[in-house]
Amino acid sequence: MKTDAKVVHLSKVVSEHSQTPPAGRLPVALISLRDKAAQQLKQAMQGLFDNADDTLFEMADRATSNAEQNAFFEAMRDLRLKRKTIERGFLQRVFETFATLNQYEIGRTPALEALSSDSLSLVHNDTLEENVALDAMVSRVMHRDALALGHLTTRLNAVISKKLEDKTNPLGPRALCEQFLGACEGLGVEIRVKLIILKLFEKHVLGELDELYANANQLLVEAGVLPELKSAPPARRQTGRQPATAARSAREGSAPASVDGGYSGEDVQEVFGALQELLSQVRGSSLLPRRDIPADAIPISSTDLMRLLSHIQQHLPTPGGASVVDDFDLRNQLETLLARASARSGKARVVGEVDEDVINLVAMLFDFILDDRTLPDSLKALIGRLQIPMLKVAVLDKAFFSRGSHPARRLLNEIASAALGWSAQGDEQRDTLYQRIEQVVQRLLNDFTDDPAIFSDVLAEFLAFTGDEKRRSELLEQRTRDAEEGRAKAELARQQVEQALNSRLFGKTLPEVVVRLLQEGWSKVLQLTCLKHGAESQEWNSAMAVMDDLIWSVEPHESAEDRLRLLELVPSLLKSLRDGLASAAIDPFVTSEFFSQLEAVHVQAFQRFKRESVAPLVSPAPQAEVEAGVVTDVASEALTAEPLLELPPFEPEPEADAPAMVEVVEEIVLLAPGENRVQEPEVSLPDDDEALEKVDGLRVGSWVEIHEDEEHKLRGKLAAIIKPTGKFIFVNRTGMKVMEKTRMGLAVEFRRGAIRLLDDALLFDRALESVIGNLRKLKGA
């Protein structure tokens, strides 16, 4: 095709041609536009066919009958065979529509076809379904991209001879749909399969038109065609998307995410359309009073609305608490600015119906957010200042309401998630999280005009900040968990030792030094043994045997066998006690004092044994028998077997002072250094009690708000449930422990309202669910 680098003026064309030429010459700018558009459409068509197999296979997998399944499999086969033909036919038709842009007929005006009742006929059901689907697809694109398409049509009209409208624009949604349907004429598929293919066309081709229009307008602006028309910049999209990724997204029922979160996607308009429908049905109610609009009122464009919102954004009141947010009325501000515009133009200016719906939806969302008890009051004031930036995003891109991955929506959710564990303590202005959220808000208020890409940048920076904070808190949280688990093991060991001591000492009267030695010294040996080796180990049994031997050694014994055993036991008992106390690092001075007093107790017992053994030999037996060695065997053994006391046989030893005795009448309780064991109130709740069900429903990571008193509240996250002790451990957002409770103790606090569970679901999603729920209730009322 021959090209001409000059712009062809209409006057020259008319004078030089006397009849319709077979092919009009296109300006260089339009040739470049055509080629670039064709390249983008070709890539979009490839995405369509790459995903068609997966979509049809999934439909076949869900088929309820063999016939239905076979229909989808046949469609897959047919589509594979005719893919190249359809792609080539579609692009050929696009080229042909561009080729006719400069074809015209002199002196003829388009005539309307005569319409008669004879020409009217019923439309076939399949054709009707196809037409309805086509109209819906076109309507959704026009609803989203009407401004950009209108600018493109205007620019094309400035350089071509034929008069174009949006519906005849070769890159308009209707023209593209008709070209695609024409290319698919050879497909022998049922209407339901054809509708699926049309849906894929809408997703992968029509869904990319916002970018195509932005690029096309930019190209014509660079060529000098109507640069005064302000068009939106091209949306940033992910390049080189792999078919596998797209197919995976189709199987998962979501559109592939782009770098900036994706500003177009399947079902975007369906979601917003459903919200509009709900709004229309409750308009005039207390929630949404009907507007009093003059009959001659002129709706302002979305571009003008963005300018007004930017003006209000730059003049927001200085932050000074939640009251400032509550007192600020966006609608009144808009009405004031519109009244000024109306006065200047002499005509009433109002917000268009679609933009009015967006304003109402965003206002309802922020009403929920500012009433949400999950958000700390101090941060509500900051988050409330994001209402205008979020409204501007929603005006620009209706995917804000339907796409969970939308950067602006994700930013709001991430801020709310980070704020979940925030507690106002001291000077909140010096808190790093508060400062960071304040920086985010201020940057959006200062820098966001009409490019939503700023939300992707701010989101990335905020995620980096919260990621660092999360890593630090997780380290401290893990240390807290480890410490609590160690503490629980020590607590169990103490309980085991308490039980052992009480089972042997309770109710007995023993020398005070023995009771103290067991309670203050040997209990530590038992605890260490239990922690290291367990309560079923040989080491534990040996330590328990030493304790049993010590208690037995200070009890009164009457039989000769017991006295002999004591004489044999004491040396090894003292050695075991010394070794055990040394292993537990008991203070040597304390140990020395224990053994000194214990020695006195044993000496007194031995003295008693000596007196009881010698007395029968001095009085009843004659001196001669003694000298002859005629004495009882037991007495003789008692005298000769005493290794510790070298007492003269006939001179009585002075009596030692009797040891202080104590009766153990209270159970022994072992406390760690500095520990003050406070028993939680012993309250028993039935198993089906609602508070217990709340406790059982807690999971690690759940956040609660703890009311210390009427003025002081703190927030804690369940970091661990220590199974050995049944303790619930809560930490603050930095990972420091703030509370521990038993299951029953926690249920009691829930029941009296001292602890409240915080909803950690995504803030925006909860707000949107609440708005939809309220609208449906009003609709049904």
Side-chain angles (χ1 to χ4, degrees):
M1 182 181 291
K2 229 176 173 184
T3 60
D4 189 347
K6 298 178 183 178
V7 175
V8 180
H9 296 285
L10 291 177
S11 57
K12 289 183 68 178
V13 173
V14 173
S15 61
E16 292 176 4
H17 295 270
S18 58
Q19 60 182 8
T20 302
R25 295 181 178 182
L26 290 177
V28 171
L30 289 194
I31 294 174
S32 177
L33 170 62
R34 179 200 64 192
D35 293 344
K36 289 188 176 181
Q39 184 63 31
Q40 182 175 336
L41 290 172
K42 181 180 179 181
Q43 292 177 355
M45 288 289 288
Q46 288 173 353
L48 183 159
F49 285 106
D50 288 342
N51 284 272
D53 259 16
D54 293 280
T55 304
L56 291 173
F57 183 84
E58 185 179 349
M59 298 299 294
D61 193 43
R62 294 206 300 256
T64 56
S65 66
N66 289 335
E68 186 180 2
Q69 191 176 63
N70 288 335
F72 286 116
F73 283 139
E74 284 298 322
M76 288 169 59
R77 180 176 176 277
D78 200 22
L79 208 57
R80 285 197 200 109
L81 292 174
K82 297 176 180 176
R83 169 177 177 168
K84 293 297 182 184
T85 303
I86 295 173
E87 287 181 0
R88 199 162 42 245
F90 173 68
L91 293 176
Q92 182 62 35
R93 284 173 167 78
V94 173
F95 270 77
E96 288 174 357
T97 54
F98 270 93
T100 61
L101 287 180
N102 263 346
Q103 290 182 355
Y104 62 94
E105 294 180 357
I106 300 175
R108 292 184 59 182
T109 57
L112 294 175
E113 291 185 7
L115 184 66
S116 68
S117 58
D118 295 335
S119 65
L120 296 178
S121 62
L122 291 176
V123 180
H124 191 274
N125 285 339
D126 289 357
T127 306
L128 179 61
E129 284 193 55
E130 185 180 301
N131 291 338
V132 169
L134 181 66
D135 290 340
M137 291 160 59
V138 172
S139 175
R140 284 190 283 269
V141 175
M142 293 302 295
H143 194 79
R144 182 189 68 213
D145 301 321
L147 179 63
L149 177 61
H151 286 180
L152 179 59
T153 302
T154 303
R155 288 188 170 100
L156 290 176
N157 281 325
V159 294
I160 62 174
S161 57
K162 182 186 286 186
K163 179 65 176 176
L164 282 182
E165 297 178 359
D166 287 347
K167 64 181 179 180
T168 57
N169 188 319
L171 297 179
R174 182 166 294 279
L176 291 176
C177 286
E178 290 172 350
Q179 290 154 10
F180 180 69
L181 285 174
C184 292
E185 285 178 352
L187 274 180
V189 295
E190 299 178 6
I191 183 60
R192 57 183 169 180
V193 176
K194 200 167 190 179
L195 293 178
I196 292 172
I197 296 172
L198 282 175
K199 197 67 176 176
L200 289 169
F201 180 78
E202 180 181 12
K203 176 180 179 179
H204 295 281
V205 180
L206 301 187
E208 304 288 333
L209 289 184
D210 55 348
E211 181 183 8
L212 189 151
Y213 294 154
N215 290 333
N217 277 305
Q218 185 63 30
L219 190 151
L220 292 176
V221 167
E222 291 171 358
V225 181
L226 300 180
E228 63 274 11
L229 281 178
K230 300 299 181 184
S231 300
R236 298 190 307 168
R237 293 181 181 271
Q238 184 177 2
T239 57
R241 183 166 56 207
Q242 297 298 323
T245 304
R248 198 161 49 245
S249 301
R251 285 194 297 270
E252 294 167 359
S254 61
S258 60
V259 171
D260 59 358
Y263 286 96
S264 67
E266 189 177 16
D267 298 334
V268 168
Q269 293 304 322
E270 286 88 336
V271 173
F272 182 67
L275 290 171
Q276 280 188 296
E277 180 66 21
L278 286 172
L279 285 173
S280 67
Q281 292 173 355
V282 302
R283 199 167 276 122
S285 65
S286 58
L287 180 67
L288 198 62
R290 196 173 296 278
R291 292 191 298 167
D292 186 15
I293 302 176
D296 60 344
I298 302 174
I300 62 172
S301 66
S302 296
T303 304
D304 290 336
L305 175 61
M306 290 289 290
R307 292 196 189 99
L308 296 180
L309 292 175
S310 295
H311 175 81
I312 299 172
Q313 177 179 303
Q314 297 300 322
H315 295 83
L316 274 178
T318 305
S323 60
V324 174
V325 178
D326 294 339
D327 295 339
F328 179 77
D329 192 326
L330 172 62
R331 194 171 297 280
N332 285 342
Q333 296 284 331
L334 265 179
E335 291 296 336
T336 302
L337 293 177
L338 286 172
R340 292 177 188 171
S342 301
R344 283 197 300 268
S345 64
K347 296 180 181 179
R349 307 302 300 272
V350 295
V351 176
E353 185 175 330
V354 173
D355 290 334
E356 179 70 18
D357 287 339
V358 174
I359 292 173
N360 287 328
L361 285 171
V362 173
M364 292 176 189
L365 290 171
F366 272 83
D367 285 344
F368 174 89
I369 290 170
L370 296 178
D371 287 338
D372 186 27
R373 295 177 64 190
T374 298
L375 281 178
D377 291 338
S378 300
L379 293 179
K380 282 182 183 178
L382 282 178
I383 295 173
R385 292 169 63 79
L386 290 175
Q387 181 172 356
I388 294 179
M390 294 297 169
L391 172 56
K392 290 168 68 178
V393 168
V395 170
L396 289 170
D397 180 16
K398 306 306 182 291
F400 178 72
F401 296 106
S402 60
R403 293 284 299 278
S405 60
H406 196 290
R409 181 165 164 173
R410 280 191 63 197
L411 178 64
L412 195 59
N413 284 332
E414 291 294 340
I415 289 175
S417 295
L420 193 62
W422 190 82
S423 299
Q425 295 177 351
D427 186 5
E428 61 189 28
Q429 303 291 338
R430 299 178 63 183
D431 183 88
T432 55
L433 177 61
Y434 186 94
Q435 289 176 346
R436 177 61 65 165
I437 295 175
E438 191 173 38
Q439 290 171 10
V440 167
V441 173
Q442 206 55 48
R443 181 179 173 188
L444 290 175
L445 291 176
N446 292 339
D447 300 344
F448 175 45
T449 304
D450 56 6
D451 183 7
I454 188 175
F455 283 91
S456 297
D457 300 335
V458 173
L459 173 63
E461 293 170 5
F462 189 75
L463 287 175
F465 167 78
T466 55
D468 290 341
E469 274 212 333
K470 187 176 181 181
R471 281 188 290 273
R472 285 195 294 269
S473 67
E474 283 177 348
L475 283 174
L476 187 53
E477 189 176 321
Q478 185 59 48
R479 291 176 191 166
T480 302
R481 258 194 307 269
D482 294 342
E484 289 300 320
E485 288 173 357
R487 186 177 158 203
K489 292 177 182 177
E491 177 67 22
L492 283 180
R494 277 200 298 273
Q495 292 175 6
Q496 191 85 18
V497 174
E498 283 177 1
Q499 183 180 354
L501 289 175
N502 287 314
S503 67
R504 286 159 174 79
L505 301 181
F506 188 73
K508 290 186 178 181
T509 301
L510 296 170
E512 180 188 14
V513 62
V514 173
V515 176
R516 285 181 51 238
L517 188 150
L518 291 175
Q519 185 172 344
E520 299 174 13
W522 200 249
S523 64
K524 294 181 174 60
V525 177
L526 290 172
Q527 287 181 50
L528 287 174
T529 304
C530 187
L531 286 171
K532 288 182 179 179
H533 306 289
E536 305 295 330
S537 63
Q538 179 62 41
E539 290 82 359
W540 170 265
N541 293 332
S542 299
M544 291 293 291
V546 171
M547 178 171 66
D548 292 336
D549 287 345
L550 176 61
I551 296 171
W552 183 87
S553 74
V554 296
E555 291 177 337
H557 302 288
E558 302 298 333
S559 69
E561 291 81 2
D562 289 343
R563 294 171 183 174
L564 184 58
R565 180 192 168 199
L566 178 62
L567 291 173
E568 295 173 347
L569 175 66
V570 167
S572 61
L573 173 63
L574 293 176
K575 183 179 185 307
S576 297
L577 286 171
R578 286 185 185 278
D579 292 344
L581 294 174
S583 69
I586 305 298
D587 188 345
F589 296 101
V590 175
T591 302
S592 178
E593 183 181 352
F594 277 141
F595 279 105
S596 176
Q597 296 179 30
L598 183 60
E599 183 181 5
V601 173
H602 284 153
V603 165
Q604 187 183 47
F606 293 144
Q607 286 178 339
R608 188 174 65 251
F609 295 165
K610 174 69 84 173
R611 286 193 300 273
E612 292 174 356
S613 300
V614 171
L617 301 179
V618 174
S619 301
Q623 182 66 23
E625 291 180 3
V626 173
E627 291 175 355
V630 185
V631 294
T632 62
D633 293 338
V634 174
S636 177
E637 289 177 8
L639 290 173
T640 58
E642 175 59 67
L644 299 179
L645 302 174
E646 297 295 334
L647 299 175
F650 301 110
E651 294 180 9
E653 189 77 12
E655 277 193 37
D657 294 336
M661 306 293 287
V662 294
E663 182 180 3
V664 183
V665 295
E666 293 183 358
E667 288 193 352
I668 294 173
V669 177
L670 302 175
L671 296 177
E675 181 183 5
N676 182 18
R677 192 176 300 177
V678 179
Q679 295 292 332
E680 292 185 2
E682 295 183 4
V683 179
S684 181
L685 299 175
D687 292 337
D688 60 349
D689 189 274
E690 184 180 353
L692 275 175
E693 291 177 358
K694 281 185 180 179
V695 174
D696 293 338
L698 288 176
R699 53 179 172 77
V700 172
S702 296
W703 282 92
V704 298
E705 187 173 66
I706 306 157
H707 296 250
E708 296 179 311
D709 52 48
E710 291 184 0
E711 297 181 357
H712 297 89
K713 301 175 184 176
L714 60 91
R715 296 187 171 201
K717 180 177 71 171
L718 180 59
I721 303 174
I722 309 299
K723 292 183 179 179
T725 59
K727 292 287 183 67
F728 288 69
I729 308 299
F730 293 86
V731 299
N732 60 18
R733 69 181 177 90
T734 65
M736 294 283 289
K737 177 181 169 182
V738 294
M739 183 180 70
E740 71 171 46
K741 290 283 183 183
T742 63
R743 175 174 177 264
M744 193 62 68
L746 196 56
V748 170
E749 296 299 310
F750 267 117
R751 193 170 191 182
R752 70 185 188 89
I755 295 178
R756 181 172 64 86
L757 181 64
L758 297 175
D759 190 346
D760 58 358
L762 296 177
L763 176 65
F764 189 95
D765 298 58
R766 288 191 290 115
L768 190 58
E769 286 176 11
S770 175
V771 168
I772 293 173
N774 291 337
L775 291 175
R776 284 175 175 164
K777 285 180 185 176
L778 282 173
K779 173 187 172 183

